[in-house]
Amino acid sequence: MKSTPKSTMQAGALAMLILRVLRSGPLHGYAIAQRIHVLSKEVLEVEEGSLYPALQKILLKGWASAEWGISETNRKVRFYRLTAAGRKQLEAELEDYDRLTEAIKAVLRTA
Amino acid sequence: MGEMWRRVWYLLNRRRMQESLREEMEFHREMAERAGAERRMFGNADALGEQAREAWGWTWIDRLAQDIRFGVRTLMRSPGFTLAAVLVLAVGIGVNVAAFGVFNMFVLKPLPVRDPDTLVRLQRSAPGSFASNVAYPSIEFYRNHAKTLSAVLASTDREVVLENESKLVRTRFVTGNFFRELGAETGIGRAIDAQRDERKGAEPVVMLSHTFWEERYGSDPAVVGSVVHLNHKAATVIGVAPRNFSGLGLPREPAFWVPLVQQPYFVEGSTVLTDTSLGGMVDLWARLRKGVSPKAAEQELTALTNDLRRQSPDSVWKDERIVSSPGGYLQTVRKDDVPMISLVAVLVLLILTVACSNLGGLLLARGVTRGHEISIRFALGASRGRIVRQLFTESLLLAAMSAVAGMGLGYVCLKAFLAKVDAAPWLDPAPDWRVAAFAGGVGLVAAIVFGLAPALQLTAKRKSGTRARQVLVMAQIAASCVLLIVAGLLVRALRYAMSTDPGYDYEHVLVVDPDLAVHGYSAAAAKSYLDVVQARLRQLPGVTSVGLTSMAPLGHKNVTAMVGYRFSIYMSRVEPGFFETMGIARLSGRDVQRGDTDEVVVSESLTRQMWPGEAPLGKQFLLEPSDPTSRKFTVMGVVANARTMSMHDPDATEMYQMSDDASLPHMVVLVRTQGRPEDIAAGARAIAAGVDAGLFPNVRLLSDAFHDEVGTVEKGATIASLMGGSAVLLAAIGLVGLVAYAVSQKTKEIAIRLALGAKKTHVIAAMLQQFVGPVALGLIAGAGLAAAASQLLRRILYGVSGLDPLSYAGAIGLLAAIAALAAIWPARKALRIDPMQVLRHE
């Protein structure tokens, strides 16, 4: 089973991934984990134990709002929706991330 | 800010949010199970939920609640222990709360007046001189010219004769704006009012204080509008001051409030409104204009004082300044008060120390019976931190209960104290937020002191119960030792004050104060009055001599003390016959004489301070040593030391000058009798009043004043003895407990030793040996601390030698005896053990 132990995935990185998958529309918790799993070509596995603390933090920060909706299996479930603040946060983090990876790549190329 | 708000919202809706999260995670799990071809590991659902909730940042509240619930259950399971612990600690905290309560009431709490923070008290100060009050003409000048002040309030105290009343009653003369400025116009009837009562030809009016209205008039509202006679002058009662009206923290509540401008009507010949000499002085307060600092007001007033000096140079000192102090409080802390305050603080903290070490011992003893529980919890995987936290939570619970009980105890003590000293009704001992915060703080500190150490010790891998017990014993002995020694010193000081001679014969002297200056007497008029009164007093049967002085002994009058020397010099103006009347022995030289100007008589103590080892007669000294042009005095006579001004100053550095014109109207007549001075008091009053019917002379016994003075020490000594006594009681209980516990721990060992044929005395000696060292160390430390504290005491009390052997030996002996008894009692119990029974039981 190819799963990244949660300890290796930083809480900050997980938050960024969550914000990123929420950009295309509201999702519930399970769907968020699924989407990350699929989009990462099944490399990243997000477990409950790390997903929900991250979601709570995002809610507290005001980067996403939660509302009750009906799931595809016809159950009441909470959907997370990106807020304007969350969008801004995502932009900032992506920019930071790009700069960092560019810098690392540059070092790797030349050193 | 949004995030903080959301967190709080989560806290408030915790139940609901928790439920939602649980549902959500359950859904997640179902979906995962349905989708997962492979069976995935799910963690403990509750643990996962808690992990997620941790992001909200409130889990500590849940844990705390859990700890508290557990702590309450534990304490309820042993109610005896809980009660004992709370009682012991409540005494320790209560003593502190009561002491802080006094400080709070006098210094921190504003008086119940409107806007206390913009009120300032104003006083005069110049190099070498200080006066607590100001002449009325100057006050008017300030009122008319000061721009930093929005109002000027003045008041002055007098005792007057009230119809059908044998004693003089206290009357406060105040400016018309007094009640309005202090926000106290809402009594019964109306208050004194500037517009109505200060204009020319206004009808004479008086207001009653609430207490006097209750006591003398039985709270009868019909008194408003009636006519009373003060000093035989009729006046209309216009109203009653509100119950909680404090005036401006005046020492004792007056019976009457009267407009200051009407004083000349009530006090015949009074020149208070025009007098600029030191005799006609009035207390001055002011209200600062909005945004003006006291410093700015001081500057403006000092500038105005310079203008005044140009107008009337005689009434203003050279380089005089006006200094301000907070006026909306009963008392401000002066530098002189610091030693006394620190001493009391140290003493009450020592009692807390004894209570804490006592409780520490209790907890430690109990901890061993809890050792089983603690080891189970360790075995179940609890961390040491977690267990310490739990134990400490219990201590905090105990401390919280004790703080509440201590606050109650402190309140009861203060209330009893205020009732005993007959305090004004507006003095409210009820604990306010400051007292509550203080009690909480003391409780917290106490919990750390008595709770944390035993908690750490109980959970330590290597247990050293003996060491902890020894430290506790030492702390208790040391703290009790200090308390006992200080109590002993205070009691000795009282003995000294009561038994030793203050330097004069206070038992046979009567003081007749005609208050001539207040009635506007000139020097010549005063002289003829005093001559007639003295002559008539001499003819009273039993009178052996009559004398005059400007400063009534122990009268708490304005004392002019010279500064610039290492010591203060108490100055008074006297006439020949003063020393004889007071019974102060002349040691060398001559008495004061008519015609003396710079020739003075001084006390022996002054000569010893000024010219140690030299013959003082003929010596000269300057009024201000730093200023060579200042007045120079010549010593013509030396008299024995007499503490007539300040009983508190062990060095009676007094200087006596012949009376002059300025001092004559301030003279007080002293009468020395053969028998009891009480017997001639009425006759003396009749003589003093008979010469001028407009005077209402105050006649009192010098012994009363002396006992009042000593009474302060007596109160201090009583409180100190009580504190020392309670400390000893606490220490005794604690020691007995600790030793008994130590012996009970070793019951088996004792039994084995006895079974093997050891001598009983040897076994006991071995048991007790571990406490000999700590007790000795505690006694040494305590004696050392007390020696340091007695330096402080010396500054406050008279006659206390720093190292009074009796106090030290007494305290050390008593504590050693208590420690020995505390040890012997449980030891004897241990000896009655039947070794076989103990061993079989094991």
Side-chain angles (χ1 to χ4, degrees):
Chain A
M1 197 167 78
K2 299 168 284 176
S3 78
T4 316
K6 67 176 175 188
S7 57
T8 60
M9 186 145 71
Q10 284 178 351
L14 177 59
M16 183 168 75
L17 295 182
I18 294 171
L19 293 179
R20 177 63 187 82
V21 296
L22 284 180
R23 192 154 75 172
S24 41
L27 293 170
H28 54 70
Y30 178 69
I32 292 174
Q34 280 305 102
R35 186 69 65 83
I36 292 176
H37 186 65
V38 170
L39 286 178
S40 69
K41 306 205 167 58
E42 306 199 349
V43 172
L44 298 174
E45 188 109 40
V46 186
E47 288 169 26
E48 274 178 287
S50 45
L51 174 68
Y52 286 93
L55 280 172
Q56 299 309 315
K57 193 152 277 166
I58 286 170
L59 283 177
L60 281 169
K61 291 276 185 201
W63 296 335
S65 59
E67 59 209 41
W68 288 100
I70 303 297
S71 76
E72 50 274 37
T73 56
N74 231 357
R75 285 218 16 201
K76 220 175 95 178
V77 73
R78 225 153 41 153
F79 282 87
Y80 295 84
R81 179 196 296 278
L82 204 59
T83 61
R87 207 170 288 275
K88 234 166 84 187
Q89 171 71 16
L90 178 62
E91 297 307 329
E93 273 188 31
L94 285 177
E95 206 171 292
D96 273 357
Y97 178 76
D98 283 345
R99 227 188 3 244
L100 186 68
T101 43
E102 278 313 314
I104 292 172
K105 273 191 215 153
V107 173
L108 291 179
R109 268 199 304 271
T110 55
Chain B
M1 210 52 236
E3 184 181 343
M4 205 54 233
W5 193 87
R6 271 189 291 273
R7 272 185 203 275
V8 172
W9 196 82
Y10 269 66
L11 175 67
L12 297 178
N13 298 283
R14 210 148 36 123
R15 275 283 140 69
R16 222 175 64 220
M17 303 301 295
Q18 209 164 312
E19 189 50 33
S20 310
L21 189 64
R22 203 189 52 74
E23 268 177 43
E24 194 178 349
M25 290 174 86
E26 201 176 302
F27 168 77
H28 188 121
R29 203 162 306 153
E30 274 174 31
M31 294 296 285
E33 258 171 58
R34 199 177 301 176
E38 73 250 63
R39 179 88 186 87
R40 285 212 309 210
M41 284 291 288
F42 289 114
N44 178 322
D46 286 336
L48 285 174
E50 199 179 312
Q51 234 171 41
R53 286 200 302 277
E54 230 160 84
W56 302 347
W58 298 114
T59 31
W60 61 270
I61 285 193
D62 296 314
R63 296 222 178 102
L64 185 67
Q66 204 182 338
D67 278 352
I68 290 178
R69 268 197 303 274
F70 187 79
V72 168
R73 270 208 304 276
T74 315
L75 290 179
M76 288 212 316
R77 232 178 289 134
S78 42
F81 162 80
T82 308
L83 193 67
V86 169
L87 273 180
V88 166
L89 193 56
V91 169
I93 294 180
V95 170
N96 279 270
V97 167
F100 178 78
V102 171
F103 186 74
N104 183 38
M105 215 160 44
F106 285 77
V107 179
L108 301 179
K109 222 186 203 174
L111 293 169
V113 296
R114 180 165 64 80
D115 268 346
D117 284 319
T118 59
L119 275 172
V120 286
R121 170 104 199 251
L122 299 170
Q123 293 167 320
R124 304 169 65 194
S125 160
S129 309
F130 183 85
S132 57
N133 31 34
V134 184
Y136 187 77
S138 312
I139 292 176
E140 277 209 305
F141 185 76
Y142 298 139
R143 175 164 62 200
N144 295 335
H145 294 92
K147 297 193 170 49
T148 51
L149 308 177
S150 66
V152 169
L153 292 80
S155 79
T156 179
D157 221 9
R158 281 247 65 74
E159 291 194 318
V160 299
V161 173
L162 175 65
E163 52 200 326
N164 306 328
E165 192 86 1
S166 60
K167 273 193 175 159
L168 298 177
V169 294
R170 188 178 292 270
T171 300
R172 196 87 191 169
F173 294 89
V174 298
T175 45
N177 59 352
F178 199 77
F179 286 86
R180 163 170 305 173
E181 277 302 326
L182 299 182
E185 294 168 294
T186 54
I188 293 153
R190 73 169 174 95
I192 293 170
D193 177 80
Q195 256 89 54
R196 295 173 70 170
D197 304 318
E198 281 192 340
R199 73 193 148 78
K200 265 209 160 40
E203 168 198 27
V205 294
V206 300
M207 251 174 103
L208 297 172
S209 79
H210 205 277
T211 313
F212 195 69
W213 178 58
E214 281 176 349
E215 282 170 4
R216 156 101 193 203
Y217 296 99
S219 303
D220 179 9
V223 75
V224 174
S226 68
V227 171
V228 293
H229 292 83
L230 302 188
N231 283 357
H232 310 317
K233 298 285 162 44
T236 310
V237 177
I238 52 168
V240 179
R243 161 175 277 285
N244 63 348
F245 180 58
S246 62
L248 276 166
L250 316 165
R252 247 176 294 155
E253 214 183 359
F256 291 101
W257 299 91
V258 180
L260 181 55
V261 293
Q262 294 183 1
Q263 179 166 331
Y265 168 77
F266 289 98
V267 180
E268 208 158 281
S270 164
T271 52
V272 71
L273 300 179
T274 51
D275 193 358
T276 54
S277 77
L278 265 169
M281 290 280 166
V282 175
D283 296 334
L284 172 61
W285 286 267
R287 215 174 251 296
L288 300 171
R289 227 175 253 293
K290 219 175 152 95
V292 171
S293 74
K295 268 275 161 297
E298 276 181 23
Q299 273 166 10
E300 191 197 15
L301 289 171
T302 301
L304 286 176
T305 307
N306 285 334
D307 294 346
L308 258 179
R309 189 172 156 81
R310 250 166 266 136
Q311 289 175 20
S312 53
D314 294 342
S315 61
V316 181
W317 296 322
K318 190 169 166 261
D319 295 327
E320 181 173 323
R321 290 181 307 121
I322 296 293
V323 292
S324 73
S325 53
Y329 298 83
L330 196 54
Q331 192 72 258
T332 45
V333 174
R334 290 165 306 148
K335 234 170 89 192
D336 307 0
D337 301 330
V338 174
M340 188 61 162
I341 294 174
S342 1
L343 178 76
V344 172
V346 168
L347 292 183
V348 294
L349 280 176
L350 280 173
I351 294 198
L352 186 64
T353 310
V354 175
C356 280
S357 38
N358 211 320
L359 207 50
L362 270 174
L363 279 177
L364 208 57
R366 184 163 168 269
V368 178
T369 55
R370 291 188 68 184
H372 189 58
E373 172 204 329
I374 289 170
S375 54
I376 289 179
R377 295 179 65 192
F378 265 128
L380 286 175
S383 68
R384 184 178 178 204
R386 189 79 188 76
I387 293 175
V388 167
R389 206 167 66 201
Q390 176 60 51
L391 292 173
F392 189 55
T393 306
E394 282 175 42
S395 299
L396 277 177
L397 277 174
L398 281 176
M401 285 191 277
S402 308
V404 172
M407 240 160 71
L409 200 67
Y411 172 71
V412 170
C413 288
L414 269 188
K415 188 130 184 137
F417 170 74
L418 289 180
K420 193 161 164 21
V421 300
D422 221 0
W426 53 266
L427 266 176
D428 180 16
D432 58 1
W433 65 269
R434 291 185 203 90
V435 173
F438 177 83
V442 169
L444 182 66
V445 171
I448 290 171
V449 172
F450 78 76
L452 209 49
L456 288 174
Q457 219 231 302
L458 285 173
T459 53
K461 289 273 176 301
R462 198 174 54 82
K463 296 212 161 92
S464 64
T466 322
R467 173 61 51 79
R469 272 199 298 279
Q470 286 173 337
V471 170
L472 285 172
V473 167
M474 203 188 97
Q476 288 195 33
I477 292 277
S480 321
C481 190
V482 175
L483 281 166
L484 265 184
I485 289 174
V486 170
L489 287 175
L490 285 171
V491 173
R492 295 271 291 169
L494 168 72
R495 276 286 194 71
Y496 177 85
M498 295 292 268
S499 65
T500 61
D501 192 1
Y504 48 87
D505 180 11
Y506 59 88
E507 275 167 13
H508 295 101
V509 178
L510 198 68
V511 183
V512 181
D513 186 356
D515 244 345
L516 299 178
V518 168
H519 293 83
Y521 267 60
S522 66
K527 181 155 175 28
S528 59
Y529 172 89
L530 292 166
D531 284 347
V532 173
V533 168
Q534 284 191 85
R536 290 195 188 165
L537 284 170
R538 278 196 193 98
Q539 281 159 12
L540 273 181
V543 170
T544 55
S545 99
V546 177
L548 293 178
T549 175
S550 61
M551 295 289 167
L554 307 176
H556 296 286
K557 270 210 165 183
N558 281 339
V559 171
T560 316
M562 295 202 291
V563 291
Y565 291 100
R566 283 174 291 107
F567 46 90
S568 303
I569 302 176
Y570 301 97
M571 302 200 290
S572 53
R573 296 276 187 170
V574 301
E575 294 220 343
F578 167 79
F579 297 111
E580 191 195 336
T581 309
M582 287 291 284
I584 300 173
R586 192 160 71 241
L587 302 177
S588 64
R590 62 164 174 85
D591 199 347
V592 292
Q593 277 178 9
R594 211 154 293 286
D596 281 354
T597 50
D598 297 333
E599 293 83 1
V600 296
V601 171
V602 298
S603 69
E604 199 237 328
S605 182
L606 182 74
T607 68
R608 214 174 345 97
Q609 297 269 358
M610 198 85 89
W611 308 283
E614 294 177 53
L617 284 185
K619 290 271 189 203
Q620 297 195 313
F621 64 100
L622 293 170
L623 181 65
E624 276 174 56
S626 55
D627 177 5
T629 64
S630 75
R631 221 169 139 189
K632 190 180 268 177
F633 294 113
T634 310
V635 177
M636 297 307 293
V638 179
V639 292
N641 293 335
R643 298 191 302 257
T644 60
M645 295 296 153
S646 166
M647 286 287 287
H648 296 253
D649 202 330
D651 293 316
T653 45
E654 312 218 359
M655 178 181 113
Y656 309 91
Q657 282 174 278
M658 182 65 202
S659 62
D660 61 358
D661 282 357
S663 62
L664 275 173
H666 297 284
M667 284 292 182
V668 171
V669 187
L670 303 169
V671 187
R672 181 181 177 81
T673 62
Q674 211 148 30
R676 298 180 342 127
E678 291 94 317
D679 299 340
I680 64 147
R685 180 179 287 121
I687 287 171
V691 179
D692 180 347
L695 296 176
F696 301 96
N698 189 3
V699 176
R700 59 181 190 274
L701 304 176
L702 194 48
S703 58
D704 285 349
F706 180 77
H707 287 296
D708 277 354
E709 195 88 354
V710 168
T712 352
V713 190
E714 195 171 1
K715 275 181 206 126
T718 312
I719 292 172
S721 318
L722 276 176
M723 294 205 301
S726 48
V728 168
L729 194 69
L730 282 178
I733 296 170
L735 287 174
V736 170
L738 274 172
V739 177
Y741 165 70
V743 172
S744 74
Q745 284 299 104
K746 303 251 169 121
T747 314
K748 196 164 88 176
E749 191 188 320
I750 295 175
I752 293 174
R753 285 189 186 203
L754 288 178
L756 292 176
K759 270 213 180 113
K760 286 190 170 190
T761 45
H762 286 174
V763 175
I764 291 305
M767 281 294 88
L768 298 183
Q769 222 148 33
Q770 53 175 320
F771 291 111
V772 172
V775 168
L777 271 178
L779 288 175
I780 291 168
L785 281 172
S790 62
Q791 291 306 315
L792 258 177
L793 270 181
R794 242 188 90 79
R795 285 207 248 154
I796 301 161
L797 298 168
Y798 34 94
V800 177
S801 96
L803 299 159
D804 182 60
L806 198 72
S807 305
Y808 281 77
I812 291 173
L814 183 60
L815 280 174
I818 286 174
L821 282 176
I824 288 169
W825 181 60
R828 277 190 38 164
K829 225 171 103 187
L831 285 186
R832 270 184 259 123
I833 305 168
D834 175 8
M836 287 330 288
Q837 207 173 345
V838 175
L839 295 176
R840 211 175 289 136
H841 184 73
E842 289 284 325

